[in-house]
């Protein structure tokens, strides 16, 4: 007859210990993962995901400069920059919620897969609570989706496609930068005044999400002022030589060429259009004109003299005279010896806006932060009164219409401000057809818990 | 008709660049048997020789303009080129304006040295290695070279304009009896085509009508026999590598007003140039040139709206489609000879 060692008391003790042992990790886990990457020590880490290699590396470098400056200001170093002019006075220069701000950087390479890989690494290895930066809509949409899945906040950098806060909007993603629709709405009346209502436009368009949505927006706004659209030709990104796309323009019956290109493509297509004599040509009894709807200072400098007199639009420019802009330009200029670009500005502002939202929410929980950003109205950050609209997480503010300067004195003033288009003129409904219509939805906020 | 002529003209300058790069590639492959994936980087380095010379001519001293202010409100510091101070305003301005054509003079020795160092320092160690090894090492070298250029010159394209004398475009259509402003062609692209024709003609003449060229051609046909005759063929082949580098370099210099140089421009041309070499026939110099122009023109035609509306995206794949077609019907390429890469 075998003898069992089990006793009632022993079984109870074993059960209690095992139960506690099994429950323990769950208790720890639930405490540790109230939300993704909850900062536990005296620091909080932000992730700056910008192109450090590839064709937009110079723009990425300028974004990094601004992000580093923002971290300095949040930690109470330097002159405080826009913290002194920001209408919200929640930030006190002692980090975020008393935690010192640190940052890590990733290289998007302006490739969606590389950008997602670097963002994933920053989330999983470095424990970042927010990702900011980038210079491409394709990248922004990809990283925004990743942040949504991971349960952290994405503060987009330079992304101008309607889709970012349109059909691809996400509850965890926020965009301060303007978009293609706003460019069209701002440019339309200016183009009407400059070139009249009887014009025929020919579009060359970068063949990806940004190009498509900008072209759609500009076509709608120019047709609204009476222009006719002759043709829209999609061009491969990075084509280099655009001559075979430009030469048909000459005999197409068009008298305006609209270049929906950005970066190096814009520099090349504009230069080649000028080389093929389009600026000096006459068509339909009028001077032939070129329009570049989205400008960047760095690219404008690259295009040299070819940009003179060409209209475009920007999110912000260092030549504005408001107090916020002046504070930022002074701070940035004294540190780096150059004025900031508009991509640098949007990344700086996004970093401050995130820190401010965390402080007002009293928590790093992304859903609390999102709630603090939704419907937030602020001023003093360079664009005048601004609204972070709750329905699509898009900032609404004035838009700048720019023109290539006739007599620039340095490489930094190759563009001049023509008009500060009031925000009312560039507003649209959250369910606008160009932004995904009624089907577009932010979805549910994800805190990763 | 005018659209067809325009696309032929567009194809000629694009084809000129392909032909010049492919010519160098074929020279290297034909002589040394090396598949050189760093050849596009040589084209890019040539372009940056022009950028460098433009910057050297543009070296400036600072002068304060008390009437203007900079972005921080301080008196504006204006850059004044030294060349205008040293050589007078007119000649100094002329030097800056003509920096691209003048860069050819600088590019030839620079590229010969770059080619020599590349061949002696790295590539000669891979002569007897499989082609896969050669491709890997030269591709790696290309990446190193482009990252070096990016480190010194940044990632953005750098405008490097043609001299003012060649600015603007000519009304080519009027010469052919068309109405004015129907066929417009920039002067510099015409210059590029003529320059390419001159360089290609020069290389062929050098190989055809000089003793050196004759030895090289003999070496390309039968390296061992030429060696047995007591001729140091390796030394000549090294010089041919330098010559191929110089051809790619001057092609890059002259292309800068057409395409603002950036650090990855070589890589953009490399793949297409390899297709050109394969279509032309590995090791065939006339084949490389013919295929360069042929594919350049076909690519231009494929970009026409009428063609793209029939077959969307054809402009992106036309070169590869033609390559497949030619390799299926003529496996050695257009003018390829037997025995090359067939062992």
């Amino acid at each position: 007859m075998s003898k069992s060692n089990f006793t009632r008391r022993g079984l109870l003790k074993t059960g209690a210990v095992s139960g506690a042992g099994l429950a323990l990790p769950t208790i720890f886990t639930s405490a540790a993962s109230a939300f993704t990457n909850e900062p536990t020590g005296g620091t909080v880490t932000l992730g700056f995901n910008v192109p450090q290699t590839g064709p937009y590396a110079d723009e990425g470098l300028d974004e990094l400069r601004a992000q580093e400056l923002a971290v300095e200001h949040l930690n109470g170093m330097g002159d405080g920059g826009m913290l002194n002019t920001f209408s919200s006075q929640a930030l006190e220069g002692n980090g975020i919620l008393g935690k010192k701000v640190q940052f890590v950087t990733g290289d998007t390479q302006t490739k969606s897969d590389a950008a997602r890989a670097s963002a994933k690494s920053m989330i999983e290895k470095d424990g970042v609570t927010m990702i900011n930066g980038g210079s491409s809509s394709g990248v922004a949409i990809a990283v925004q989706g990743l942040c949504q899945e991971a349960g952290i906040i994405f503060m987009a950098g330079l992304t101008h496609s309607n889709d970012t806060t349109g059909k691809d909007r996400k509850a965890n993603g926020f965009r301060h930068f303007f978009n293609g629709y706003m460019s069209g709405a701002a440019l339309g009346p200016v183009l009407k005044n400059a070139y009249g209502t009887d014009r025929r436009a020919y579009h060359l368009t970068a063949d990806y999400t940004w190009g498509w949505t900008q072209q759609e927006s500009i076509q709608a706004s120019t047709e609204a002022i009476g222009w006719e659209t002759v043709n829209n030709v999609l061009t491969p990104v990075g084509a280099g030589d655009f001559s075979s796309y430009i030469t048909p323009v000459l005999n197409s019956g068009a008298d305006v060429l609209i270049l929906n290109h950005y970066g190096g493509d814009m520099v090349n297509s504009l230069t080649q259009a000028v080389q093929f004599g389009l600026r000096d040509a006459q068509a339909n009894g009028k001077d032939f004109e070129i329009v570049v709807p989205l400008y960047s200072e760095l690219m404008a400098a690259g295009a040299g003299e070819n940009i003179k007199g060409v209209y475009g639009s920007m999110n912000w420019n260092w030549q504005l005279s408001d107090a916020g802009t002046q504070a930022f330009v002074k701070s940035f200029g004294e540190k780096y010896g150059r004025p900031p670009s508009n991509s640098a500005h949007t990344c700086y502002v996004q970093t401050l806006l995130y820190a401010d939202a965390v402080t007002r929410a009293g928590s790093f929980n992304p859903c609390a932060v999102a709630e603090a950003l939704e419907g937030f109205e602020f001023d003093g950050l360079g664009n005048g009164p601004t609204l972070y609209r709750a329905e699509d997480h898009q900032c609404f503010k004035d838009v700048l219409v720019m023109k290539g300067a006739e007599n620039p004195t340095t490489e930094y003033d190759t563009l001049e401000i023509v008009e500060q288009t009031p925000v009312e003129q560039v507003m649209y409904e959250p369910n606008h057809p160009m932004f995904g219509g009624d089907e577009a939805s932010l979805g549910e906020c994800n805190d990763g818990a | 008709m005018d659209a067809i002529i325009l696309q032929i003209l567009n194809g000629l300058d694009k084809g000129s660049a392909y032909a010049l790069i492919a010519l160098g590639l074929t020279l290297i492959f034909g002589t040394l048997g090396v598949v050189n994936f760093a050849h596009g980087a040589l084209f890019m380095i040539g372009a940056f020789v022009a950028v460098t010379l433009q910057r050297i001519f543009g070296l400036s001293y600072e002068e304060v303009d008390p009437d203007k202010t900079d972005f921080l409100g301080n008196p504006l510091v204006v850059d004044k080129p030294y060349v205008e101070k040293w050589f007078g305003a007119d000649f100094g301005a002329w030097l800056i304006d003509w920096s691209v054509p003048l860069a050819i003079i600088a590019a030839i020795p620079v590229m010969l040295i770059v080619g020599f160092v590349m061949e002696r320092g790295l590539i000669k160690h891979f002569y007897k290695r499989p082609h896969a090894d050669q491709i890997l090492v030269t591709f790696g070298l290309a990446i190193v070279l482009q990252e070096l250029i990016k480190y010194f010159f940044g990632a953005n394209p750098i405008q490097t304009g043609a001299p003012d004398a060649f600015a603007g475009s000519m009304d080519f259509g009027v010469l052919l009896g068309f109405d004015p402003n129907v066929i417009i062609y920039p002067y510099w692209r015409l210059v590029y085509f003529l320059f390419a024709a001159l360089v290609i003609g020069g290389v062929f003449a050098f190989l055809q009508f000089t003793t050196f060229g004759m030895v090289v051609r003999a070496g390309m046909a039968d390296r061992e026999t030429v060696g047995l005759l007591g001729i140091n063929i390796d030394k000549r082949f090294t010089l041919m590598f330098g010559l191929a580098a110089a051809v790619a370099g001057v092609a890059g210099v002259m292309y800068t007003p057409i395409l603002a140089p950036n650090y990855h421009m070589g890589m953009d041309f490399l793949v297409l140039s390899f297709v050109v070499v394969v279509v032309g026939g590995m090791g065939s110099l006339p084949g490389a040139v013919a295929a360069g122009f042929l594919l350049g023109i076909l690519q231009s035609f494929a970009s026409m709206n009428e063609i793209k509306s029939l077959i969307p995206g054809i402009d992106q794949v036309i070169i590869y489609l033609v390559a497949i077609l030619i390799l299926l019907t003529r496996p050695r390429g257009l003018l390829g000879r037997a025995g090359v890469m067939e062992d």
Side-chain angles (χ1 to χ4, degrees):
Chain A
M1 182 181 170
S2 64
K3 188 181 175 184
S4 170
N5 289 329
F6 284 116
T7 61
R8 188 183 63 88
R9 190 178 294 270
L11 191 67
L12 281 174
K13 276 164 83 176
T14 310
V17 170
S18 309
L22 283 170
L24 201 58
T26 320
I27 294 162
F28 278 141
T29 312
S30 60
S33 66
F35 53 88
T36 302
N37 294 339
E38 181 182 11
T40 49
T43 60
V44 58
T45 307
L46 308 181
F48 298 140
N49 206 21
V50 304
Q52 297 182 49
T53 56
Y56 296 161
D58 286 355
E59 202 158 61
L61 177 64
D62 217 40
E63 292 182 2
L64 266 185
R65 291 186 188 115
Q67 288 157 332
E68 193 181 334
L69 190 67
V71 168
E72 273 185 20
H73 292 164
L74 289 173
N75 286 332
M77 293 182 283
D79 61 9
M82 281 182 169
L83 285 186
N84 302 311
T85 58
F86 190 13
S87 57
S88 170
Q89 293 296 310
L91 294 165
E92 294 172 351
N94 61 346
I96 307 176
L97 292 180
K99 293 180 189 294
K100 188 179 179 194
V101 183
Q102 297 179 325
F103 68 91
V104 290
T105 68
D107 182 7
T108 66
Q109 301 174 34
T110 315
K111 294 174 184 164
S112 298
D113 51 348
R116 278 176 71 96
S118 59
K120 195 165 187 285
S121 168
M122 288 192 286
I123 295 167
E124 292 177 355
K125 289 185 184 162
D126 303 308
V128 300
T129 58
M130 175 274 270
I131 284 184
N132 165 234
S135 281
S136 150
S137 291
V139 163
I141 289 167
V143 175
Q144 180 165 263
L146 179 86
C147 291
Q148 178 70 35
E149 291 160 20
I152 68 162
I153 291 287
F154 175 63
M155 302 294 279
L158 192 155
T159 162
H160 187 248
S161 168
N162 291 344
D163 290 346
T164 312
T165 47
K167 73 177 178 59
D168 295 316
R169 67 183 76 161
K170 292 279 184 285
N172 286 39
F174 291 83
R175 169 162 68 178
H176 171 263
F177 207 72
F178 72 149
N179 57 44
Y181 177 91
M182 293 175 174
S183 285
L187 276 168
V190 174
L191 295 176
K192 181 181 172 185
N193 287 337
Y195 304 137
T197 53
D198 183 22
R199 284 281 182 173
R200 291 162 61 81
Y202 192 110
H203 290 253
L204 290 183
T205 303
D207 194 4
Y208 76 109
T209 173
W210 168 72
W212 305 328
T213 65
Q214 174 171 290
Q215 192 279 330
E216 183 187 24
S217 303
I218 302 296
Q219 179 174 338
S221 68
T222 50
E223 288 182 353
I225 59 170
W227 291 17
E228 186 186 335
T229 304
V230 174
N231 205 348
N232 173 38
V233 175
L234 299 177
T235 60
V237 178
D241 187 2
F242 289 90
S243 56
S244 42
Y245 300 104
I246 289 169
T247 42
V249 179
L250 289 163
N251 305 317
S252 65
D255 45 42
V256 179
L257 173 63
I258 298 178
L259 294 173
N260 298 301
H261 289 154
Y262 187 69
D265 281 357
M266 185 277 277
V267 172
N268 287 325
S269 62
L270 176 61
T271 304
Q272 288 157 17
V274 173
Q275 282 173 353
F276 273 89
L278 291 188
R279 290 298 301 278
D280 306 320
Q282 291 263 317
N284 308 325
K286 308 177 191 77
D287 287 342
F288 200 99
E289 304 293 350
I290 301 175
V291 178
V292 177
L294 177 61
Y295 264 144
S296 124
E297 306 87 338
L298 297 169
M299 308 309 172
E305 291 202 337
N306 301 319
I307 212 147
K308 280 184 181 177
V310 175
Y311 283 101
S313 66
M314 285 181 88
N315 187 56
W316 173 86
N317 186 269
W318 67 269
Q319 297 170 85
L320 286 166
S321 58
D322 62 286
T325 295
Q326 288 187 343
F328 180 48
V329 172
K330 178 174 176 291
S331 196
F332 191 98
E334 286 177 351
K335 186 171 170 68
Y336 301 112
R338 56 191 297 151
S341 62
N342 83 150
S343 57
H345 169 257
T346 202
C347 287
Y348 176 90
V349 169
Q350 285 279 70
T351 307
L352 294 195
L353 285 169
Y354 170 78
D356 176 75
V358 171
T359 309
R360 287 186 290 110
S363 167
F364 286 95
N365 185 314
C367 294
V369 176
E371 205 178 315
L373 282 168
E374 286 175 347
F376 180 48
E377 291 181 43
F378 58 93
D379 199 353
L381 295 184
N383 300 101
T386 305
L387 163 71
Y388 236 132
R389 188 159 72 178
E391 288 85 352
D392 54 4
H393 295 182
Q394 170 69 53
C395 268
F396 286 85
K397 52 196 166 15
D398 297 350
V399 168
L400 299 183
V401 175
M402 310 294 292
K403 193 166 81 166
E406 291 296 334
N407 295 303
T409 51
T410 68
E411 61 183 300
Y412 305 119
D413 58 2
T414 49
L415 297 170
E416 61 188 31
I417 299 169
V418 175
E419 176 191 285
Q420 194 161 350
T421 307
V423 60
E424 298 76 29
Q425 193 178 312
V426 301
M427 284 287 271
Y428 55 86
E429 291 301 314
N431 62 347
H432 190 283
M434 284 187 201
F435 291 83
D438 289 327
E439 289 174 11
S441 159
L442 287 168
E444 291 294 316
C445 175
N446 178 19
D447 63 9
Chain B
M1 187 61 193
D2 50 317
I4 292 171
I5 295 171
L6 265 172
Q7 294 305 347
I8 290 175
L9 288 171
N10 284 334
L12 283 181
D13 57 60
K14 209 177 287 179
S16 302
Y18 293 155
L20 284 173
I21 300 174
L23 183 68
L25 273 172
T26 306
L27 270 178
I28 292 172
F29 181 76
T31 53
L32 302 167
V34 172
V35 182
N36 182 22
F37 261 67
H39 205 70
L42 294 171
F43 178 78
M44 180 266 296
I45 289 173
F48 276 89
V49 170
V51 173
T52 307
L53 195 71
Q54 189 188 46
R55 292 206 170 165
I56 289 171
F57 286 154
L59 278 177
S60 306
Y61 58 96
E62 293 180 344
E63 223 175 63
V64 175
D65 186 341
D67 300 330
K68 292 178 182 165
T69 54
D70 70 4
F71 70 97
L72 288 173
N74 304 317
L76 182 68
V77 176
V78 183
D79 293 332
K80 299 270 186 184
Y82 281 112
V83 287
E84 291 188 9
K85 188 180 179 183
W86 293 337
F87 305 116
D90 287 347
F91 188 63
W94 182 87
L95 278 176
I96 295 170
D97 185 34
W98 280 77
S99 60
V100 169
L102 290 173
I104 291 176
I105 300 165
I108 292 170
V110 168
M111 296 311 297
L112 283 172
I113 293 168
V114 168
F116 183 80
V117 170
M118 195 189 271
E119 198 270 338
R120 288 289 94 182
L122 184 71
I123 291 177
K124 76 165 185 176
H125 303 294
F126 288 82
Y127 286 158
K128 293 191 168 59
R129 302 277 281 271
H131 286 309
D133 288 11
Q134 296 170 355
I135 289 170
L136 282 174
V137 76
T138 51
F139 194 72
L141 181 64
I143 292 171
V144 170
L145 289 173
Q146 71 174 32
E147 288 303 313
L148 275 173
I149 290 291
K150 195 179 82 180
Y151 178 79
F152 288 108
F153 294 92
N156 281 336
I158 301 167
Q159 279 290 324
T160 316
D164 286 345
F166 297 105
S169 40
M170 72 178 290
D171 199 334
F172 207 81
V174 172
L175 298 177
L176 302 172
F178 286 93
D179 291 336
N181 292 325
V182 171
I183 302 175
I184 299 286
Y185 199 63
Y187 288 118
W188 188 258
R189 288 178 185 253
L190 202 62
V191 168
Y192 193 82
F193 172 64
L194 296 174
F195 171 80
L198 203 69
V199 172
I200 291 166
V203 169
F204 275 95
F206 177 72
L207 291 174
Q208 202 66 36
F209 303 121
T210 65
T211 313
F212 186 98
M214 189 180 69
V215 172
V216 168
R217 280 187 294 120
M220 285 170 80
D222 191 341
R223 185 188 184 118
E224 278 185 18
T225 307
V226 174
L228 287 172
L229 292 171
I231 295 168
N232 185 352
I233 196 70
D234 283 352
K235 192 175 158 191
R236 284 172 170 78
F237 281 180
T238 302
L239 281 170
M240 288 313 291
F241 193 100
L243 177 71
V247 168
V250 294
V253 168
M254 293 293 279
Y255 210 68
T256 53
I258 294 174
L259 186 68
N262 60 61
Y263 72 98
H264 57 87
M265 68 186 297
M267 217 51 111
D268 298 342
F269 272 91
L270 178 79
V271 177
L272 290 175
S273 299
F274 259 101
V275 176
V276 167
V277 171
V278 172
V279 168
M282 293 296 284
S284 166
L285 295 174
V289 174
F293 284 109
L294 174 74
L295 293 183
I297 291 169
L298 280 175
Q299 200 179 24
S300 284
F301 274 109
S303 305
M304 289 173 71
N305 297 335
E306 292 80 358
I307 309 279
K308 281 181 72 173
S309 60
L310 285 176
I311 316 170
I314 187 69
D315 51 334
Q316 296 291 291
V317 296
I318 181 73
I319 282 194
Y320 307 102
L321 282 179
V322 172
I324 291 169
L325 207 68
I326 287 182
L327 290 179
L328 281 175
T329 51
R330 294 180 64 87
R332 290 184 189 127
L334 288 175
L335 299 170
R337 53 198 168 86
V340 179
M341 281 194 100
E342 288 176 358
D343 47 326

